Amino acid sequence: MQMTSLLPRDFFARDTLQVARGLLGQVLVRLLDGQRLSGRIVEVEAYIGEDDLASHARFGRTARNAAMYGPPGHAYVYQIYGLHHCLNIVTGPEGFPAAVLIRALEPLEGLEGMQARRGVADPALLTSGPARLCQAMAIDRRLDKADMCAPDAVLFVEIGAPVPDEDIVTGPRVGVQGDLRARTVPWRFYVRNHPCVSRGRTTDDRPRTTDDRPRTKKDDAR
DNA sequence: GGATCGATCGGCT
DNA sequence: GCCGATCGATCCG
């Protein structure tokens, strides 16, 4: 049976930016072989609608991104570069493709198993990236479309300690290229100065101010 | 510390 | 055929 601290579907059915912001501080839990693996969410990104040219939904519905069009509170897990996996949680109303990418956790439970799967010992390297946390928590495409709000879920989110506004930083999403708006819209949220936030950190963790040139010239090179 | 590159393969315009 | 919501190793300064 599930704890009452499980985040309900209504939480995920809201506006995607609200969900993304609200997921910081909550606890992602993975049940594996009767063991609890968990981590506090410290970095997320929002992908919203087919008009978001950084979203997998930008070309419309396909077999891969079908979960994004499904009901909120379900997992969207995809494979990238042939070897990595990334976990999203579907948001907003069913039929509208939107999701929050979980980019980094602060590991809480099951550190030994995470270290074994990751091949590293440093807690700051266990789950500080979208593919790293999937490897640490044994998340792959078998969990695509899994209902994270079901009573028997093996992957879900529990209520954690809220993160105050002054500790939240927003900025452009990591790894997004091409379209100017997609590159610059501040849909990345992370906990200020947290050691487990992934690379792509800004030069200095300031609340917002102007853009601080996430990357220099690298597009014109090739 | 920053830049560059290879791994590796499913899904796609 | 091409390319990616990444990572880790390597090279350079």
Side-chain angles (χ1 to χ4, degrees), chain A residues 12-201:
Chain A
F12 300 103
R14 297 174 299 149
D15 170 80
T16 301
L17 293 179
Q18 299 280 104
V19 177
R21 159 71 180 81
L23 275 173
L24 293 179
Q26 315 289 6
V27 178
L28 181 71
V29 181
R30 166 82 163 114
L31 301 182
L32 184 69
D33 301 328
Q35 306 256 43
R36 268 178 68 101
L37 308 171
S38 73
R40 181 169 171 256
I41 298 172
V42 297
E43 180 184 0
V44 296
E45 283 176 1
Y47 291 84
I48 308 174
E50 297 180 345
D51 293 335
D52 177 359
L53 297 184
S55 172
H56 288 170
R58 65 188 177 280
F59 299 128
R61 180 174 180 147
T62 65
R64 176 171 72 150
N65 65 24
M68 293 186 78
Y69 290 79
H74 287 241
Y76 167 44
V77 182
Y78 66 90
Q79 190 177 16
I80 185 144
Y81 299 111
L83 59 165
H84 297 303
H85 295 271
C86 293
L87 167 69
N88 298 249
I89 306 179
V90 177
T91 58
E94 180 168 1
F96 181 78
V100 173
L101 171 69
I102 309 300
R103 283 197 58 90
L105 309 171
E106 172 191 330
L108 295 177
E109 300 170 274
L111 282 275
E112 288 158 25
M114 294 184 189
Q115 288 163 334
R117 272 181 294 278
R118 288 276 297 118
V120 297
D122 184 353
L125 295 177
L126 282 182
T127 52
S128 53
R132 288 172 174 175
L133 72 91
C134 283
Q135 183 181 28
M137 292 186 131
I139 294 168
D140 60 31
R141 281 189 301 175
R142 286 173 293 188
L143 287 169
D144 186 40
K145 296 183 179 174
D147 186 356
M148 299 180 66
C149 303
D152 61 344
V154 296
L155 182 66
F156 51 90
V157 183
E158 286 180 347
I159 294 176
V163 179
D165 282 339
E166 59 266 28
D167 288 341
I168 294 182
V169 188
T170 67
R173 294 170 294 184
V174 176
V176 170
Q177 296 159 28
D179 182 74
L180 177 61
R181 171 173 159 80
R183 254 186 6 241
T184 55
V185 68
W187 287 353
R188 177 185 183 216
F189 302 82
Y190 60 95
V191 178
R192 180 192 316 280
N193 293 328
H194 197 287
C196 294
V197 168
S198 77
R199 71 197 169 82
R201 231 168 303 199

